[in-house]
């Protein structure tokens, strides 16, 4: 990861000071760096040691960071990772345009691999992520959203970049199609579990720990699995309260919504759904070589279930 950080620092440079300033601001905020870590772990599990893995790990982090910049503008978010968002500090126009810079810089770096398969994977992932973002926008304030539609969005918006990060390692290593599919399956399941737990934490997390405001999803009119299950299990009055909160996009009734989500067992059911995805990820790499990197991948999947931030 130190090598990846060196690549990130070198490739963030721009002759336009504001570009570097905004990009450095959000990158330096830290974050979990799960996607580059996933690419590095998968590369290690498959025995791939070439420096190109550092370049592509930085690429997936740039793509992810660009989506964060754009997301925070769309969602009108003011807090991320415990400090003001880039749009709160620098304004919406700067955040959108620097997000565009990070996307274009990522594509410059992909070309450096001189590998059409790598470029295809990342170009497809970036396109699907954008589609997922638009679909989520269309779904806002729609209290009738189904579980299948919810899962379709998170597999596009979140899990696709996890899948691409995991898939790049076997492509770089020249592994078989079966190994590539196993890596992709791991990445998609891991990314799905990650987002499902993220949606749990919006109703069962600690704002200070998470570094963002509780109830943001509700304020934005986002229908997530805890709310879907709560409406399936709740009585008529409970369903009406949640439905109204989604449609209006207000958090005045957030304590009541949280109480309903907990009392109906929706949080436990959502955690069970995440556990199912984590097990799918673990099963996907069951036949991988036994080494420290494979152990790390297994531990990563298991640790998501205890995630608090």
């Amino acid at each position: 990861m130190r090598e990846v950080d060196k690549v990130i620092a070198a490739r963030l440079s721009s002759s336009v000071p504001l570009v570097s300033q905004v990009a450095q601001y959000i990158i330096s905020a830290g974050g979990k760096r799960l996607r580059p870590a996933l690419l590095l772990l998968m590369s290690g599990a498959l025995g791939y040691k070439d420096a190109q893995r550092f370049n592509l790990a930085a690429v997936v982090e740039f793509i992810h960071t660009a989506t964060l910049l754009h997301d925070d503008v769309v969602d009108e978010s003011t807090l991320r990772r415990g400090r003001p968002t880039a749009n709160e500090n620098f304004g919406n126009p700067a955040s959108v345009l620097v997000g565009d810079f990070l996307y274009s810089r990522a594509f410059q770096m992909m070309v450096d691999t001189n590998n059409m398969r790598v470029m295809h994977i990342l170009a497809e992932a970036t396109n699907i992520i954008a589609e997922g973002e638009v679909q989520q926008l269309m779904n806002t304030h729609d209290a009738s959203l189904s579980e299948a539609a919810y899962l379709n969005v998170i597999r596009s918006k979140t899990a696709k970049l996890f899948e691409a990060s995991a898939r790049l390692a076997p492509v770089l290593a020249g592994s078989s199609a079966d190994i590539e599919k196993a890596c992709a399956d791991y990445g998609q399941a891991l990314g799905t579990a990650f987002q499902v737990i993220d949606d749990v934490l919006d109703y069962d997390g600690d704002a200070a720990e998470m570094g963002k405001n509780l109830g943001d999803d509700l304020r934005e009119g986002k229908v997530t699995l805890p709310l879907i299950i709560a409406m399936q299990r709740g009585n008529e009055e409970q369903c009406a309260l949640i439905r109204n909160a989604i449609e209006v996009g207000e958090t005045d009734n957030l304590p009541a919504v949280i109480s309903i989500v907990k009392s109906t067992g929706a949080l436990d059911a959502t955690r069970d759904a995440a556990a199912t995805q984590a097990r799918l990820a673990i099963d996907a790499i069951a036949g991988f070589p036994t080494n420290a990197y494979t152990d790390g991948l297994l531990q990563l999947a298991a640790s998501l279930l205890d995630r608090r931030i």
Side-chain angles (χ1 to χ4, degrees):
M1 291 302 294
R2 283 193 295 271
E3 293 299 320
V4 175
D5 286 342
K6 289 178 186 176
V7 176
I8 288 173
R11 300 309 295 262
L12 275 183
S13 61
S14 168
S15 59
V16 180
L18 184 59
V19 170
S20 298
Q21 189 180 0
V22 177
Q24 286 283 0
Y25 179 82
I26 188 167
I27 289 284
S28 66
K32 291 168 281 295
R33 299 277 174 91
L34 270 181
R35 295 150 192 85
L38 174 55
L39 194 157
L40 296 179
L41 284 170
M42 200 64 83
S43 296
L46 300 176
Y48 180 78
K49 300 290 186 181
D50 192 270
Q52 191 60 249
R53 71 195 193 278
F54 304 135
N55 179 54
L56 288 182
V59 166
V60 297
E61 186 65 9
F62 279 0
I63 292 172
H64 173 57
T65 303
T67 67
L68 297 185
L69 282 164
H70 289 168
D71 279 358
D72 286 343
V73 171
V74 171
D75 297 339
E76 300 178 0
S77 299
T78 60
L79 194 67
R80 180 180 288 279
R81 297 168 182 165
R83 65 178 187 168
T85 54
N87 50 299
E88 182 77 359
N89 258 11
F90 302 99
N92 288 342
S95 290
V96 171
L97 295 172
V98 173
D100 293 344
F101 166 82
L102 287 173
Y103 273 130
S104 57
R105 178 52 52 86
F107 274 82
Q108 283 182 321
M109 293 165 68
M110 293 176 210
V111 173
D112 291 345
T113 66
N114 197 30
N115 185 319
M116 283 300 296
R117 181 73 179 129
V118 165
M119 288 187 274
H120 173 79
I121 289 167
L122 288 168
E124 180 192 40
T126 306
N127 191 253
I128 288 174
I129 291 165
E131 288 181 335
E133 295 286 2
V134 174
Q135 188 61 58
Q136 180 172 265
L137 184 64
M138 292 171 61
N139 292 344
T140 54
H141 304 293
D142 180 4
S144 66
L145 191 73
S146 68
E147 184 173 336
Y150 158 82
L151 288 170
N152 183 57
V153 167
I154 68 171
R155 283 178 178 143
S156 299
K157 186 177 97 63
T158 301
K160 189 63 184 181
L161 192 55
F162 279 83
E163 178 192 318
S165 300
R167 190 187 288 272
L168 288 170
V171 170
L172 290 174
S175 302
S176 67
D178 286 345
I179 293 295
E180 182 182 328
K181 183 180 184 305
C183 293
D185 288 347
Y186 173 94
Q188 186 188 83
L190 187 83
T192 302
F194 177 85
Q195 185 59 56
V196 170
I197 291 293
D198 197 70
D199 294 339
V200 166
L201 294 179
D202 204 54
Y203 297 99
D204 191 39
D206 181 283
E209 277 188 86
M210 294 190 298
K212 65 178 184 178
N213 300 312
L214 278 184
D216 273 353
D217 286 349
L218 190 62
R219 177 180 58 80
E220 294 155 15
K222 290 180 183 175
V223 184
T224 56
L225 194 54
L227 296 184
I228 292 170
I229 295 174
M231 285 189 288
Q232 290 171 348
R233 296 182 174 187
N235 60 37
E236 189 174 332
E237 182 182 348
Q238 290 172 325
C239 291
L241 189 147
I242 292 176
R243 191 178 302 111
N244 181 69
I246 291 167
E247 291 171 352
V248 175
E250 51 83 19
T251 55
D252 291 348
N253 287 321
L254 180 61
V257 170
I258 291 174
S259 177
I260 294 167
V261 167
K262 289 181 177 179
S263 66
T264 56
L267 284 181
D268 289 337
T270 305
R271 288 189 182 277
D272 286 345
T276 297
Q277 292 297 318
R279 283 192 292 271
L280 288 174
I282 289 168
D283 290 346
I285 59 170
F288 274 34
T290 302
N291 56 41
Y293 298 98
T294 302
D295 288 346
L297 290 166
L298 296 172
Q299 290 169 25
L300 179 57
S303 70
L304 281 187
L305 304 180
D306 298 320
R307 182 182 162 219
R308 299 298 303 172
I309 60 172

